[in-house]
Amino acid sequence: MPSLAINQPPLEGARPLASAEGDASAAAPSLALLRAFAAASALCLLAMLSWSWATGLNVQHFERVSSPAFWAESFLAHAQHLRWLTVFDDVFIACYVTTTLLLVQRLRACAPAAARMHALGPWVVGMAVAVGLLDAIENHHVLSLLHAVEQGQAIGYDTMVSREWLSSVKWLMGHVAFCLLGVALWFEALPWRLFRISLIGWQLPVGAAALALAATPVVGEALGWLKLINVMGGFLALATLPWPAPLISRSSVDSGARA
């Protein structure tokens, strides 16, 4: 019976020796699954950007304080568009949180013993989950405000202020999580080095500037779109970058020790 076979001790020499890197790779999640969720995240974001360009709906307007009349007019003018955009965004949340969990699990399984990924990986996961939660709250808070406006209710400044700072914290936490991921990556292949540099030296300052300068005419709008394109590019990179082969430990090769 299968259950009895599982409980039997393995016979000496029954299977070939395996390296520690091989065991780690076996414990890591499927690379194809990781790539699929990363690609799905990028496609969801592309769909939302295309929908916004096609309809004129800019949800970033609901991430900063404006006049109550402007919010109300925007809600009523784009009510159905906003509902469909929420569908895409909710799927996007599920995809990017899953991508982050799979990525960190795989990186920690394959990382050398002294790699920073072991210490920083849980922080990246925690921040990604927090960002996903804040993002879901934002989506359905904005949707509830739409419903309130459709019922003739007014939007107060307190509501807009709280919406802005919660949205800003969500974005900044996401940018910091990407930066931590860049710091934790140890791959030396040129595409990964460039990806790491972009996470630390590009997406973080651009994201911070987009938040601080959001109300600046022209510049704020351009930085907001650039921020979203950066995020989409990051997921496309995760979906397409060639994954480095695991390094074989010199000590285990020389000694011939069992992994």
Side-chain angles (χ1 to χ4, degrees):
M1 294 176 63
S3 60
L4 294 178
I6 290 173
N7 291 327
Q8 290 176 350
L11 298 176
E12 184 66 27
R15 65 186 184 95
L17 300 179
S19 67
E21 287 78 8
D23 291 341
S25 297
S30 164
L31 180 57
L33 185 64
L34 169 59
R35 290 190 189 280
F37 273 100
S41 299
L43 288 174
C44 283
L45 192 47
L46 177 61
M48 289 189 288
L49 289 173
S50 301
W51 189 263
S52 296
W53 284 327
T55 64
L57 170 63
N58 189 344
V59 293
Q60 295 182 85
H61 290 163
F62 305 126
E63 294 181 349
R64 64 177 185 267
V65 175
S66 184
S67 68
F70 176 76
W71 273 38
E73 291 170 4
S74 298
F75 276 135
L76 295 176
H78 298 287
Q80 198 62 18
H81 298 154
L82 183 58
R83 290 186 175 94
W84 279 108
L85 197 66
T86 301
V87 173
F88 284 109
D89 205 6
D90 283 348
V91 175
F92 175 54
I93 293 169
C95 288
Y96 75 68
V97 170
T98 303
T99 299
T100 306
L101 296 178
L102 292 174
L103 175 63
V104 172
Q105 182 187 359
R106 184 174 184 87
L107 288 172
R108 294 187 78 200
C110 301
R116 288 184 292 266
M117 181 55 65
H118 296 297
L120 297 182
W123 287 93
V124 174
V125 167
M127 295 179 81
V129 171
V131 168
L133 179 60
L134 288 172
D135 209 355
I137 291 172
E138 176 184 299
N139 283 351
H140 294 277
H141 182 209
V142 169
L143 203 59
S144 68
L145 292 176
L146 166 63
H147 297 158
V149 169
E150 288 179 326
Q151 297 300 316
Q153 300 298 314
I155 300 175
Y157 279 102
D158 288 345
T159 298
M160 289 189 291
V161 169
S162 63
R163 180 69 273 137
E164 177 173 326
W165 73 260
L166 283 169
S167 296
S168 297
V169 168
K170 174 204 74 175
W171 274 110
L172 188 57
M173 191 177 298
H175 294 309
V176 172
F178 276 126
C179 181
L180 288 179
L181 179 62
V183 172
L185 283 173
W186 70 95
F187 299 147
E188 290 301 324
L190 181 59
W192 283 96
R193 290 174 63 187
L194 294 175
F195 181 56
R196 184 167 67 237
I197 291 171
S198 72
L199 291 177
I200 300 170
W202 175 251
Q203 70 85 27
L204 178 60
V206 168
L211 293 173
L213 303 176
T216 305
V218 182
V219 173
E221 192 87 3
L223 285 172
W225 288 112
L226 181 58
K227 172 186 67 178
L228 293 170
I229 293 171
N230 284 344
V231 174
M232 183 175 65
F235 287 114
L236 281 175
L238 291 175
T240 58
L241 281 177
W243 198 267
L247 297 175
I248 300 177
S249 170
R250 170 66 62 181
S251 59
S252 63
V253 171
D254 291 344
S255 65
R258 186 188 299 269

